[in-house]
Amino acid sequence: MPAIPKANHAIDPNLISRAAIRVTQRLQGAGYEAYIVGGAVRDLLLGAHPKDFDVATNATPEQIKGLFRSSRIIGRRFQIVHVRDGREIIEVTTYRGPHGSDDAQPATSRQSDKGLLLRDNVYGTLEEDTARRDLTINAMYYDPGKEVVLDQLAGCEDLDARLIRIIGDPTARYREDPVRMLRVIRFAAKLSFDIEPKTKEAIRECAPLLEEIPAARLFDEFLKLFMAGHGNPTFHMLLDHDLLSALCPSAAEAITKDPSFKGMVSMAMANTDQRVKDGRPVTPAFLLAALLWPAVKTRASQLSLRDMPPSQAINSAGQQITAETCQSMSIPKRFSIPMREIWELQVRLERQQKRRLKDTLSGRRFRAAYDLLLLRAEAGHGVESAVSFWTEQQRLYPDLVGSAKPADDRQNFNRRRPRRRKPDS
Ligand code: ATP
Ligand code: MG
C-alpha cells in the first residue's frame, strides 16, 4: 500500500490523543496491526484538531476486549469496541471485508433486496477495510509509532484538490448505505470542498433510498449535520441536492416554495454556527423549531382558513408536523416538547398581551421564542411590532427574562457521547 513517510506529510504529533497512541501501541505490542484511521487522519493532515479518534486493527472484537480492561463491544450493524482511557473513548474497529453475495456467512453479512447493508461484520484485510470506507479522504491510516500514513486510494491528492470523492461506484455505495449521501454533503459543507462529479451525480437518483433508513439513525445524522458549526452551508447544500426532504419532508416543501422561509431558516443556522464557534451552548430544540416552522406556519394557515382560532391552529399544526417529521427522523421528546412550546408561544408573543406579561417574560422558553420571533421579523413576516413590544418589555424587566427555570437541554453536541441514548419518541 502506498505509504507517505514522515518527511512528506505535516502531521503534528502534538495534535494526536495520547489515548489513541496508547491503544495502537498496546495492540501492536500484542502482535496485531493497528492504525489511527478515518476522520482523525483527515483532520491531522489538514492541521486541524480531530474531535475524536478511531483505531482500525486486525484483532477481532473479542481479542480487542481481552487486551483492554475498560472496554465494551457495542453495535450490531458494525460491531465496534469502545476502549475507555481516562476521559477519552477510543473507538476500535476490526478491519471489515467485502460482504458481496457471500452466503457462507449469513449471520455476519446481510443485505436487503435493495442492496442496503443490514449487517456488516465480515472481517477483512487492511486493503479490504480501505475499500469499505466512504470517502477517499476518510480512508487513510496513520501509524503513530512509525509516523507513516498509508494512502491506498490517493486520499491525500483529494485533500490537496479539496475534493469529496466516494470510494467505488457511487450508486452501489449509496445503495449499500444511503446515509453516505448525507455524509458527502456534511463533509463538503464542513470543509468547503467540491464534490467530485460522479459522486455528486448519483445523489439525485439515490436520494429516495434514504426512506429506508431508521428514523433514529437519521436523527443522529441530523445532529451531526446541523449542530457541529457548519449548519448553514449544510442546509443550502442539502436543499440543492433535494436531500432535506429525507429528514423533514413537510418543512423541505414549505421552504422550497417560499424563499423568505429559506432565508429565515438560513439565519437560524448561521446564528447556531456562530454560537458553536464562540463555544456557547446550542440546543437542537431551537434549531428544530426554526427549521420546521415553515411547515407549521403553512399548515396553521390552512387550518385557519377552516375557521380554527390562531392558537389552536398553531397547536394542531405543530402536533401534525412533529408527527410527520418523526416518521423520517425521530426527534426525542426532550427536544420536541420545548420545540412545540416555542411554536405555541409565537401566538402569545404576537398578541402582545399585557395580561400575564410577567409570566410570559419569565417563562423558560421566552428567550428562544423571542429569538424565533426575531427571525420571523427579519424574514418580513409581519411581526415587527411584536418584536418592538417584547424588546421594550425585556428592557423594562431585564431580571425577569427566563427567570422561571434554566433550560437544561443545551449541550455540546460536538462531543462523542459514550453511549447512544435510545430516542424516546
Ligand atoms: P467526524 O469528524 O464527523 O468524526 P469521521 O470521518 O471520523 O468524521 P465517523 O462517523 O467518526 O466520521 O466515522 C469514522 C470513519 O468510519 C470514517 O472516516 C469512515 O472511514 C468510516 N465510515 C463512517 N461511516 C461510514 C459509512 N456510512 N460508510 C462507510 N464508511 C464509513
Ligand atoms: Mg470520527
Side-chain angles (χ1 to χ4, degrees):
M1 185 177 289
I4 306 171
K6 185 181 173 183
N8 295 350
H9 65 73
I11 289 183
D12 175 359
N14 294 318
L15 293 178
I16 306 174
S17 121
R18 298 290 117 196
I21 294 174
R22 278 191 289 272
V23 169
T24 50
Q25 275 173 348
R26 169 86 61 95
L27 283 159
Q28 290 172 350
Y32 300 109
E33 298 170 21
Y35 299 94
I36 293 172
V37 67
V41 182
R42 175 198 71 219
D43 291 345
L44 287 168
L45 285 166
L46 290 169
H49 233 293
K51 81 178 197 299
D52 48 43
F53 284 82
D54 301 307
V55 166
T57 176
N58 61 350
T60 64
E62 297 298 337
Q63 289 167 333
I64 301 163
K65 199 165 182 310
L67 281 177
F68 299 95
R69 264 180 0 124
S70 253
S71 64
R72 20 186 241 112
I73 298 179
I74 59 153
R76 253 169 64 91
R77 219 173 131 269
F78 300 136
Q79 255 193 4
I80 52 185
V81 184
H82 274 177
V83 176
R84 183 178 282 281
D85 181 310
R87 292 177 61 218
E88 263 184 88
I89 288 178
I90 305 296
E91 215 166 85
V92 186
T93 41
T94 306
Y95 295 155
R96 290 198 288 269
H99 45 88
S101 53
D102 192 350
D103 292 331
Q105 288 167 301
T108 49
S109 173
R110 276 178 54 213
Q111 262 177 299
S112 77
D113 48 5
K114 291 193 181 151
L116 185 78
L117 273 186
L118 300 175
R119 286 226 190 118
D120 192 14
N121 274 328
V122 183
Y123 304 133
T125 62
L126 175 61
E127 284 74 15
E128 289 167 337
D129 190 70
T130 310
R132 299 281 319 124
R133 295 193 174 263
D134 56 350
L135 311 175
T136 56
I137 59 165
N138 284 347
M140 291 178 277
Y141 298 69
Y142 182 64
D143 181 335
K146 298 198 180 101
E147 297 186 53
V148 163
V149 178
L150 301 184
D151 181 16
Q152 189 185 329
L153 302 169
C156 253
E157 260 177 45
D158 284 337
L159 267 189
D160 289 341
R162 305 177 68 79
L163 267 187
I164 301 293
R165 185 195 308 271
I166 194 128
I167 296 168
D169 174 57
T171 306
R173 300 308 307 287
Y174 295 150
R175 273 183 198 285
E176 279 175 5
D177 182 4
V179 170
R180 287 175 187 146
M181 290 182 272
L182 298 176
R183 292 177 60 87
V184 164
I185 302 297
R186 177 153 71 87
F187 291 114
K190 172 182 163 174
L191 302 169
S192 313
F193 278 22
D194 287 330
I195 305 175
E196 177 274 324
K198 289 202 179 77
T199 303
K200 185 191 263 200
E201 276 156 26
I203 291 181
R204 210 156 286 278
E205 167 201 341
C206 296
L209 297 171
L210 278 162
E211 282 171 27
E212 277 196 69
I213 301 301
R217 188 170 174 215
L218 281 191
F219 186 73
D220 278 354
E221 212 51 44
F222 168 88
L223 294 178
K224 293 187 197 167
L225 286 163
F226 295 117
M227 306 306 288
H230 309 277
N232 195 29
T234 305
F235 167 67
H236 288 281
M237 290 188 79
L238 286 175
L239 274 178
D240 291 347
H241 290 86
D242 263 342
L243 287 176
L244 192 66
S245 50
L247 300 171
C248 46
S250 1
E253 192 188 329
I255 290 165
T256 311
K257 277 192 182 145
D258 182 341
S260 72
F261 277 140
K262 183 169 161 184
M264 193 205 94
V265 176
S266 180
M267 273 187 276
M269 296 283 173
N271 291 351
T272 299
D273 291 347
Q274 192 56 49
R275 290 186 71 95
V276 173
K277 285 193 186 89
D278 298 343
R280 287 183 287 160
V282 289
T283 164
F286 176 73
L287 201 68
L288 283 162
L291 175 65
L292 303 184
W293 174 255
V296 173
K297 183 66 187 162
T298 306
R299 184 71 52 88
S301 307
Q302 290 160 359
L303 295 173
S304 299
L305 288 178
R306 290 187 235 146
D307 291 333
M308 201 183 266
S311 66
Q312 204 186 328
I314 287 289
N315 290 8
S316 297
Q319 192 185 4
Q320 290 173 17
I321 298 299
T322 306
E324 284 170 28
T325 307
C326 282
Q327 304 262 316
S328 34
M329 62 170 183
S330 56
I331 306 171
K333 285 223 161 55
R334 67 181 184 285
F335 302 133
S336 64
I337 290 171
M339 169 184 85
R340 291 182 55 186
E341 288 169 359
I342 293 168
W343 293 335
E344 288 167 18
L345 267 169
Q346 297 305 304
V347 182
R348 206 192 301 178
L349 296 190
E350 280 174 50
R351 284 201 187 120
Q352 306 174 35
Q353 274 173 347
K354 290 264 170 29
R355 200 169 55 88
R356 291 174 58 208
L357 183 112
K358 291 187 179 167
D359 280 353
T360 307
L361 272 178
S362 63
R364 59 188 294 200
R365 304 291 168 219
F366 172 79
R367 230 6 254 215
Y370 171 79
D371 285 345
L372 181 61
L373 192 73
L374 271 181
L375 292 172
R376 295 175 56 207
E378 285 186 53
H381 289 172
V383 288
E384 289 78 0
S385 81
V387 165
S388 315
F389 177 84
W390 290 106
T391 307
E392 176 63 9
Q393 299 312 314
Q394 290 179 82
R395 199 184 59 76
L396 292 173
Y397 307 103
D399 296 338
L400 269 183
V401 178
S403 60
K405 217 176 171 197
D408 55 6
D409 51 336
R410 297 179 164 214
Q411 287 180 25
N412 188 341
F413 283 88
N414 282 325
R415 221 164 278 146
R416 172 176 282 169
R417 280 170 292 165
R419 224 202 272 175
R420 195 169 275 185
R421 258 177 261 124
K422 256 183 132 181
D424 36 30
S425 74

Short mmCIF file of all heavy atoms in Angstrom, two decimals, residues 164 180-190 195 203 225 233-234 237-238 241 243:
data_model
loop_
_atom_site.label_atom_id
_atom_site.label_comp_id
_atom_site.label_asym_id
_atom_site.label_seq_id
_atom_site.Cartn_x
_atom_site.Cartn_y
_atom_site.Cartn_z
N ILE A 164 -14.39 15.93 -2.44
CA ILE A 164 -15.08 14.84 -1.77
C ILE A 164 -15.37 13.78 -2.83
O ILE A 164 -16.12 14.02 -3.78
CB ILE A 164 -16.43 15.31 -1.17
CG1 ILE A 164 -16.21 16.44 -0.17
CG2 ILE A 164 -17.19 14.15 -0.55
CD1 ILE A 164 -15.46 16.08 1.08
N ARG A 180 -24.53 7.59 3.38
CA ARG A 180 -23.30 8.12 2.78
C ARG A 180 -23.56 9.39 1.98
O ARG A 180 -22.69 10.25 1.88
CB ARG A 180 -22.65 7.05 1.88
CG ARG A 180 -22.03 5.95 2.72
CD ARG A 180 -21.48 4.81 1.88
NE ARG A 180 -21.06 3.71 2.74
CZ ARG A 180 -21.14 2.43 2.43
NH1 ARG A 180 -21.62 2.05 1.26
NH2 ARG A 180 -20.73 1.52 3.27
N MET A 181 -24.78 9.52 1.41
CA MET A 181 -25.09 10.77 0.68
C MET A 181 -25.07 11.96 1.64
O MET A 181 -24.57 13.03 1.30
CB MET A 181 -26.47 10.65 0.02
CG MET A 181 -26.50 9.67 -1.12
SD MET A 181 -28.12 9.60 -1.91
CE MET A 181 -28.92 8.35 -0.91
N LEU A 182 -25.62 11.75 2.82
CA LEU A 182 -25.63 12.84 3.81
C LEU A 182 -24.22 13.14 4.27
O LEU A 182 -23.85 14.29 4.53
CB LEU A 182 -26.52 12.47 5.00
CG LEU A 182 -28.00 12.23 4.68
CD1 LEU A 182 -28.75 11.77 5.93
CD2 LEU A 182 -28.64 13.50 4.12
N ARG A 183 -23.40 12.09 4.36
CA ARG A 183 -22.01 12.30 4.77
C ARG A 183 -21.24 13.08 3.70
O ARG A 183 -20.41 13.94 4.03
CB ARG A 183 -21.34 10.95 5.07
CG ARG A 183 -21.90 10.27 6.32
CD ARG A 183 -21.26 8.90 6.56
NE ARG A 183 -19.82 8.97 6.75
CZ ARG A 183 -19.20 9.17 7.91
NH1 ARG A 183 -19.90 9.33 9.01
NH2 ARG A 183 -17.89 9.20 7.98
N VAL A 184 -21.50 12.79 2.44
CA VAL A 184 -20.86 13.55 1.36
C VAL A 184 -21.16 15.03 1.52
O VAL A 184 -20.26 15.89 1.50
CB VAL A 184 -21.35 13.04 -0.02
CG1 VAL A 184 -21.03 14.04 -1.13
CG2 VAL A 184 -20.72 11.68 -0.34
N ILE A 185 -22.43 15.35 1.73
CA ILE A 185 -22.84 16.75 1.90
C ILE A 185 -22.20 17.34 3.16
O ILE A 185 -21.69 18.46 3.16
CB ILE A 185 -24.38 16.86 2.01
CG1 ILE A 185 -25.05 16.28 0.78
CG2 ILE A 185 -24.81 18.31 2.28
CD1 ILE A 185 -24.75 16.97 -0.51
N ARG A 186 -22.24 16.56 4.25
CA ARG A 186 -21.72 17.07 5.52
C ARG A 186 -20.26 17.46 5.40
O ARG A 186 -19.85 18.54 5.82
CB ARG A 186 -21.90 16.00 6.61
CG ARG A 186 -21.32 16.39 7.95
CD ARG A 186 -22.04 15.69 9.08
NE ARG A 186 -21.76 14.27 9.16
CZ ARG A 186 -20.73 13.75 9.82
NH1 ARG A 186 -19.87 14.54 10.44
NH2 ARG A 186 -20.56 12.44 9.87
N PHE A 187 -19.45 16.59 4.80
CA PHE A 187 -18.01 16.90 4.71
C PHE A 187 -17.74 17.99 3.67
O PHE A 187 -16.85 18.82 3.87
CB PHE A 187 -17.20 15.63 4.43
CG PHE A 187 -17.19 14.69 5.61
CD1 PHE A 187 -17.80 13.44 5.53
CD2 PHE A 187 -16.62 15.07 6.81
CE1 PHE A 187 -17.82 12.59 6.64
CE2 PHE A 187 -16.63 14.24 7.92
CZ PHE A 187 -17.23 12.98 7.82
N ALA A 188 -18.51 18.00 2.58
CA ALA A 188 -18.32 19.07 1.59
C ALA A 188 -18.60 20.42 2.25
O ALA A 188 -17.85 21.38 2.05
CB ALA A 188 -19.24 18.84 0.39
N ALA A 189 -19.66 20.49 3.05
CA ALA A 189 -20.02 21.76 3.70
C ALA A 189 -19.02 22.12 4.78
O ALA A 189 -18.56 23.26 4.87
CB ALA A 189 -21.43 21.67 4.28
N LYS A 190 -18.65 21.12 5.58
CA LYS A 190 -17.74 21.39 6.70
C LYS A 190 -16.37 21.85 6.21
O LYS A 190 -15.78 22.77 6.77
CB LYS A 190 -17.61 20.10 7.54
CG LYS A 190 -16.55 20.17 8.60
CD LYS A 190 -16.42 18.86 9.36
CE LYS A 190 -15.11 18.84 10.12
NZ LYS A 190 -14.97 17.67 10.98
N ILE A 195 -17.61 18.58 -4.60
CA ILE A 195 -17.96 17.17 -4.70
C ILE A 195 -17.59 16.70 -6.10
O ILE A 195 -17.98 17.33 -7.09
CB ILE A 195 -19.46 16.94 -4.43
CG1 ILE A 195 -19.84 17.56 -3.07
CG2 ILE A 195 -19.80 15.46 -4.46
CD1 ILE A 195 -21.32 17.51 -2.76
N ILE A 203 -26.32 11.20 -6.56
CA ILE A 203 -27.15 11.53 -5.40
C ILE A 203 -28.62 11.69 -5.80
O ILE A 203 -29.51 11.17 -5.14
CB ILE A 203 -26.64 12.80 -4.68
CG1 ILE A 203 -25.29 12.49 -4.01
CG2 ILE A 203 -27.65 13.29 -3.65
CD1 ILE A 203 -24.68 13.63 -3.24
N LEU A 225 -25.18 16.90 11.20
CA LEU A 225 -25.29 17.83 10.08
C LEU A 225 -25.41 19.28 10.55
O LEU A 225 -24.82 20.18 9.97
CB LEU A 225 -26.52 17.49 9.22
CG LEU A 225 -26.42 16.24 8.34
CD1 LEU A 225 -27.81 15.79 7.90
CD2 LEU A 225 -25.55 16.50 7.11
N PRO A 233 -24.10 26.23 5.62
CA PRO A 233 -23.75 25.68 4.30
C PRO A 233 -24.35 24.29 4.08
O PRO A 233 -24.74 23.95 2.95
CB PRO A 233 -22.22 25.63 4.31
CG PRO A 233 -21.79 25.87 5.72
CD PRO A 233 -22.90 26.62 6.40
N THR A 234 -24.44 23.50 5.13
CA THR A 234 -25.02 22.17 5.01
C THR A 234 -26.48 22.26 4.57
O THR A 234 -26.93 21.53 3.68
CB THR A 234 -24.94 21.42 6.36
OG1 THR A 234 -23.58 21.41 6.79
CG2 THR A 234 -25.45 20.01 6.24
N MET A 237 -26.71 23.12 0.90
CA MET A 237 -26.31 22.00 0.03
C MET A 237 -27.35 20.89 0.05
O MET A 237 -27.62 20.26 -0.96
CB MET A 237 -24.95 21.45 0.46
CG MET A 237 -23.82 22.41 0.15
SD MET A 237 -22.22 21.66 0.46
CE MET A 237 -22.06 20.67 -0.98
N LEU A 238 -27.94 20.64 1.20
CA LEU A 238 -28.98 19.61 1.27
C LEU A 238 -30.16 20.01 0.39
O LEU A 238 -30.72 19.18 -0.33
CB LEU A 238 -29.46 19.42 2.72
CG LEU A 238 -28.52 18.67 3.66
CD1 LEU A 238 -29.08 18.68 5.08
CD2 LEU A 238 -28.28 17.24 3.20
N HIS A 241 -29.42 19.52 -3.28
CA HIS A 241 -29.39 18.12 -3.72
C HIS A 241 -30.69 17.39 -3.40
O HIS A 241 -30.72 16.16 -3.45
CB HIS A 241 -28.20 17.40 -3.09
CG HIS A 241 -26.89 17.85 -3.65
ND1 HIS A 241 -26.21 18.95 -3.14
CD2 HIS A 241 -26.15 17.40 -4.69
CE1 HIS A 241 -25.11 19.13 -3.85
NE2 HIS A 241 -25.05 18.22 -4.79
N LEU A 243 -32.08 16.73 -0.65
CA LEU A 243 -31.93 15.74 0.42
C LEU A 243 -32.59 16.19 1.72
O LEU A 243 -32.78 15.38 2.63
CB LEU A 243 -30.44 15.47 0.68
CG LEU A 243 -29.74 14.64 -0.39
CD1 LEU A 243 -28.24 14.53 -0.08
CD2 LEU A 243 -30.34 13.24 -0.52
#
